[in-house]
Structures are given as C-alpha cells and as structure tokens.
Amino acid sequence: MNFFRKYKTILIYGFSLALLIVFLKLIEYKLIILNNSFQFYAGSIALLFTLLGIWLATKLIKPKTKIEIVEKKVFINQVQPFVINEDALAKTEISARELEVLKLMAKGFSNQEIANTLFVSVSTIKTHISNLFFKLEASRRTQAVEKAKNLGLIP
C-alpha cells in the first residue's frame, strides 16, 4: 500500500498515457482499416491463396517413395595370390626390368621416385617407359597400366 502512495503521481500519468495511446490506436484503426477495407480484404484473400498454393505444391510435388531395407548375403571369394600371365609377358616381350618399372608406375611413382627405388638414372626410366608404351601400344601412363592389368602382367 505504501508503494501506491509513494508513486501515485507516476501511476496516474502512466495510466492516462496508456488510455491516450489506446484512444489514438482506435482512431488510427478507423482511418486506416475502415477507409481502406477493400485493400485489406483483397490482401488477406491473396495471402490466404498464396499460403494454400504453397501448402498444396509441397503435398503434390513431394515424391512418394517408400524406403525398403533389403538385406542380402554377400559372399567374398578368398583372395588368391597374383600370378603373372606368362603368355602375355612373352607375347609383349617386356623385360624383367621394364616389368619392375611398370609395377612402380602402377603404384603411382614418379620417374624420379622410380629411378631412386631402382638405383638408376631418370633418363633410363624414361627409356623403359617409352619401351613399355611401344610394347603395350599405349600413349599415357594410365593407359599402359590399364592394359597391363587387363593382360594380367600386374596386380
């Protein structure tokens, strides 16, 4: 009770300002809403149909898929050790050193890395690669490796 006596003037001014704001809002409502009622009516119908169209489009366009989980047994063959196709090796006339270079090429080694691994110069590796391209009838490293895999020369 002591609180109301202490702030009586502030509460009266606050309440009167609130009533004034409510009165001004009612006047604003009358001037804006009632004078422009057709625009608000048409706008609300447009908003309603827009929302209805969006909702209907999401229902119609949504794919009707059913997710089924199918469990199948997968049989994995046991890995057998790789055996070089000797007939293809004899037919292509690839030497043992060229076969080593081809295996390292298949692993993705660069010319310098192959040379360091085999303890030879880079120009020797380039010669071996050139011979491999000729013997495998390839024009690129990837093509040579693919043909060698298809012939059974490398795993």
Side-chain angles (χ1 to χ4, degrees), residues 98-117:
E98 290 170 346
L99 188 60
E100 287 180 86
V101 171
L102 186 60
K103 287 178 183 177
L104 293 173
M105 272 178 38
K107 289 182 181 178
F109 284 34
S110 67
N111 289 351
Q112 184 65 52
E113 291 171 330
I114 295 171
N116 292 343
T117 304

Side-chain angles (χ1 to χ4, degrees), residues 40-58:
F40 285 105
Y41 177 70
S44 62
I45 289 177
L47 181 65
L48 176 71
F49 277 104
T50 301
L51 295 175
L52 181 67
I54 291 171
W55 175 79
L56 188 61
T58 58

Side-chain angles (χ1 to χ4, degrees), residues 24-41:
L24 289 174
K25 286 295 178 181
L26 286 173
I27 292 172
E28 181 183 4
Y29 168 77
K30 184 177 180 182
L31 290 175
I32 293 175
I33 302 296
L34 296 179
N35 291 341
N36 298 315
S37 62
F38 177 75
Q39 286 84 0
F40 285 105
Y41 177 70

Side-chain angles (χ1 to χ4, degrees), residues 100-155:
E100 287 180 86
V101 171
L102 186 60
K103 287 178 183 177
L104 293 173
M105 272 178 38
K107 289 182 181 178
F109 284 34
S110 67
N111 289 351
Q112 184 65 52
E113 291 171 330
I114 295 171
N116 292 343
T117 304
L118 299 178
F119 302 106
V120 293
S121 69
V122 177
S123 61
T124 305
I125 297 303
K126 287 181 182 179
T127 304
H128 288 312
I129 291 173
S130 176
N131 291 340
L132 284 168
F133 285 171
F134 177 75
K135 291 177 181 178
L136 292 172
E137 298 174 356
S139 56
R140 294 183 307 274
R141 291 169 82 105
T142 54
Q143 194 177 24
V145 169
E146 183 181 345
K147 286 188 179 186
K149 285 184 180 181
N150 289 341
L151 290 172
L153 299 175
I154 56 175

